[in-house]
Amino acid sequence: MNKRIFSLCAAGFICTLATAQEKSNLQQDEDIQQLEEVVVSDSRFSLKRENSGKTVIKISQEELQRNQGRSVAEVINTKSGIEINGSRSNAGQNLSYFVRGGNNRQVLVLIDGIQVSDPSQIAMDFDLRLLDLNQIESIEIVKGAASTLYGNRAATAVINITTKSAGANKIGANFESSIGSNQSSEENDYNLSDFSNRASVNGTLGKFTYLAGFGNQYTDGLSAVIGEEKDPFNRINSNINLGYKFSDRFSFKVLGYYDKFKADFDSSSPQQDSDDYSESEQFRVAITPEYTYNNGSVTLNASYNTIDRDIYSSFPNSYEANSTVVDLFNKYNFSDKFYTIIGFNYMKSEATLGADTDFSTSDPYANVVWVSDFGLNMNVGGRMNNHSEYGTNFTYNFNPSYTLKFNDDYLKFLGSYSTSYIAPTLSQLFGAYGANPDLEPEEDRTLEGGMEYNNEKFRISGVYFNRYEENFISYTDIGYENSDDDFTVNGVEVEATVTPIESLIIDANYTFTENRDKVALRIPKHKVNAGIQYELLKKTNFGLQYQFTGKRLDIQYNPDFTSQNVELDAFSLLNFNVNHQFSNKFTVFLNLDNIFNEDYEELLGYTTRGRNIRVGFRLGL
């Protein structure tokens, strides 16, 4: 109750302060310059979308602000080709990243250009629950095999997250706060049980830039499994970003991140309420010096990351892990026609899994982008992966596209043939259960073909993909083994954005995913996302979002230790949001999720969120 009273009082005080300060500044500039959209993640250069050989998903700051109060996983889960299972459940629910029919260990997450992972996890994946949406500036997602540029695990998707940086003023501050309910479809009391707050200061003092932020989320009111006991989730986030521009050519940044959460969970076998909980703590520091010269630059991205995880349950355990990443690369632009990057990436992963374990990779790589005068674009590259345990393997990328220009419109045909590798994790190589130090890397090949049409009013794209896996690492009666079976996944992704009038934006995407050769748990064959955003008088924005998730299989464990596959019903969710800008510095918002209080399951036997409401504000000073 004290937390609720404090949050409400703080919100009221800041609202009053902001309104008083900003009454004289309610008029916005009506002239908004529309810049050509550029994408980065598929080439590591800033390219016009029309010259990119991929249909890169770009989540802007404006879209993130419209989703304030939601999680990073919830926002990403609205994009084509992606199903993040667990994002609609209890806030502490483990997340599964199903992209193009793959799983967690085939998705690579970058934060500010640097690979992040948790070497103590069986999948060695990064936990998106650690992140606060309000500290993020933008997100780009590239689907398909991308190990040429990004290395290990970049097989089905690369999620490239950029955090916020300093503003141009000498000093500035930002505050975000929201409160809401957190209940299942069987409840209707709308008690306040979800509290999120973040504050940051930033600025530029001559050649020096700085940003420091702190955030907290506390969520209660929902049980992990279908039951009565509530399982809270509590997270804190802090980050710092310091930069100094020594000259027009040389700059240096230091980045620091500290994230920690505690998540209560329940017994999974048998499924029942329990007092189990886990704690995860992460500290990460990075440096990014950059030297620019005529038509080029040399950049070093280096980081050190530590993660401690403790599990308190009937089977308690503690894990310690750290990773070191060094990525040195040279980018050179030949007259805006040839874009080249040559680099060397080193990673060392360590974890305590009963004993100290580690492995390292040392990968030279190169990539070339050619943008011709007659519409042909080419993105080609290769990487030699050198692993301390299994030796070497080679991955490559071939991504041509052809663009037809019609004044300001274009029609783009694209295709790609790319390979990736997924190195066996420390748990699979050296862990306590079924370890096999002779494992080879999984290999993943993605074939894509499609087209994209773009004009002033709408953009539409369609892509067919065929993903082929071999050397798949599976757990058998004798432990981890490379499977002799190969697997193929086919699919289609369609995306459309329509702007019939300046104040109205309609987005929609459809994904078809078919796993031919193996049972795919929790992956829908059909998925649809659609959204409408309407801006009223440049001050108020209304949004409606729809999501359809088709039938999928889950596994049910029986008391006699047998199991069987169970089909989960399809479901549809409808969400609403509205935000009103009192001034260019102060905005309030309201979200209403699952309007029709749909009763559904993400995971068999686990609770999902019903109709919930959230209100909050954003203040910049």
Side-chain angles (χ1 to χ4, degrees), residues 111-116 163 239-243 252-258 283-289 300-306 323-327:
I111 299 180
D112 294 323
I114 302 175
Q115 301 104 316
V116 290
T163 61
N239 66 300
I240 188 168
N241 182 331
L242 305 176
F252 192 94
K253 281 188 177 181
V254 178
L255 309 171
Y257 316 80
Y258 176 77
F283 173 74
R284 191 156 34 92
V285 62
I287 58 170
T288 59
L300 173 67
N301 288 337
S303 73
Y304 180 77
N305 183 34
T306 66
S323 57
T324 303
V325 179
V326 178
D327 190 22

Side-chain angles (χ1 to χ4, degrees), residues 299-319:
T299 305
L300 173 67
N301 288 337
S303 73
Y304 180 77
N305 183 34
T306 66
I307 292 182
D308 293 327
R309 291 192 299 122
D310 296 296
I311 299 174
Y312 301 89
S313 67
S314 301
F315 303 96
N317 218 328
S318 294
Y319 302 92

Side-chain angles (χ1 to χ4, degrees), residues 367-410:
N367 200 76
V368 177
V369 175
W370 176 46
V371 178
S372 74
D373 293 324
F374 54 89
L376 180 63
N377 310 298
M378 195 73 69
N379 187 334
V380 181
R383 173 182 291 245
M384 180 61 72
N385 168 233
N386 301 282
H387 195 281
S388 60
E389 298 301 318
Y390 58 70
T392 64
N393 71 296
F394 182 72
T395 61
Y396 56 91
N397 167 62
F398 178 69
N399 177 205
S401 62
Y402 186 79
T403 305
L404 296 172
K405 292 280 289 185
F406 310 98
N407 296 321
D408 293 330
D409 306 348
Y410 69 82

Side-chain angles (χ1 to χ4, degrees), residues 77-378:
N77 195 36
T78 63
K79 304 307 176 182
S80 67
I82 299 173
E83 167 64 17
I84 301 188
N85 193 265
S87 61
R88 314 171 190 91
S89 301
N90 177 281
Q93 179 63 51
N94 292 329
L95 300 175
S96 297
Y97 314 142
F98 300 130
V99 182
R100 291 188 168 181
N103 53 41
N104 287 40
R105 67 174 178 264
Q106 296 167 319
V107 174
L108 177 64
V109 177
L110 306 176
I111 299 180
D112 294 323
I114 302 175
Q115 301 104 316
V116 290
S117 65
D118 181 355
S120 70
Q121 296 273 16
I122 294 177
M124 204 172 161
D125 54 323
F126 180 79
D127 194 340
L128 289 175
R129 293 177 297 174
L130 284 164
L131 297 181
D132 177 5
L133 189 74
N134 287 323
Q135 71 185 124
I136 296 174
E137 177 65 28
S138 64
I139 302 173
E140 281 193 358
I141 303 171
V142 178
K143 289 167 292 184
S147 282
T148 296
L149 281 175
Y150 297 110
N152 183 27
R153 302 193 319 282
T156 61
V158 174
I159 301 174
N160 189 1
I161 297 171
T162 302
T163 61
K164 293 178 178 178
S165 56
N169 295 330
K170 290 184 178 180
I171 185 168
N174 293 283
F175 304 92
E176 297 97 4
S177 183
S178 64
I179 54 177
S181 61
N182 186 44
Q183 62 189 16
S184 70
S185 61
E186 297 180 354
E187 302 171 288
N188 58 8
D189 51 13
Y190 300 99
N191 287 331
L192 297 181
S193 51
D194 192 332
F195 308 89
S196 180
N197 300 280
R198 182 168 180 82
S200 64
V201 294
N202 67 90
T204 299
L205 301 173
K207 297 181 178 181
F208 176 69
T209 60
Y210 66 93
L211 180 145
F214 177 82
N216 169 252
Q217 179 188 3
Y218 178 81
T219 304
D220 202 353
L222 207 63
S223 177
V225 302
I226 298 175
E228 298 295 329
E229 184 186 43
K230 310 306 181 185
D231 294 304
F233 175 81
N234 190 10
R235 183 187 65 212
I236 60 173
N237 302 93
S238 61
N239 66 300
I240 188 168
N241 182 331
L242 305 176
Y244 193 82
K245 192 171 184 178
F246 290 89
S247 68
D248 291 339
R249 293 186 178 272
F250 182 62
S251 62
F252 192 94
K253 281 188 177 181
V254 178
L255 309 171
Y257 316 80
Y258 176 77
D259 310 288
K260 182 178 181 179
F261 72 75
K262 177 185 176 183
D264 285 25
F265 64 94
D266 293 322
S267 171
S268 59
S269 183
Q271 286 188 343
Q272 62 184 23
D273 284 329
S274 64
D275 295 326
D276 302 340
Y277 68 95
S278 66
E279 293 182 332
S280 185
E281 183 178 36
Q282 172 188 251
F283 173 74
R284 191 156 34 92
V285 62
I287 58 170
T288 59
E290 182 179 60
Y291 177 78
T292 60
Y293 57 94
N294 293 339
N295 297 332
S297 63
V298 179
T299 305
L300 173 67
N301 288 337
S303 73
Y304 180 77
N305 183 34
T306 66
I307 292 182
D308 293 327
R309 291 192 299 122
D310 296 296
I311 299 174
Y312 301 89
S313 67
S314 301
F315 303 96
N317 218 328
S318 294
Y319 302 92
E320 296 179 5
N322 61 73
S323 57
T324 303
V325 179
V326 178
D327 190 22
L328 176 66
F329 55 92
N330 180 84
K331 293 163 58 173
Y332 192 81
N333 179 2
F334 292 88
S335 303
D336 293 325
K337 300 300 179 185
F338 282 96
Y339 301 82
T340 63
I341 181 169
I342 299 175
F344 180 82
N345 183 264
Y346 171 82
M347 295 183 65
K348 184 174 183 179
S349 302
E350 302 174 277
T352 301
L353 305 171
D356 292 338
T357 62
D358 67 85
F359 68 67
S360 63
T361 59
S362 304
D363 298 2
Y365 61 92
N367 200 76
V368 177
V369 175
W370 176 46
V371 178
S372 74
D373 293 324
F374 54 89
L376 180 63
N377 310 298
M378 195 73 69

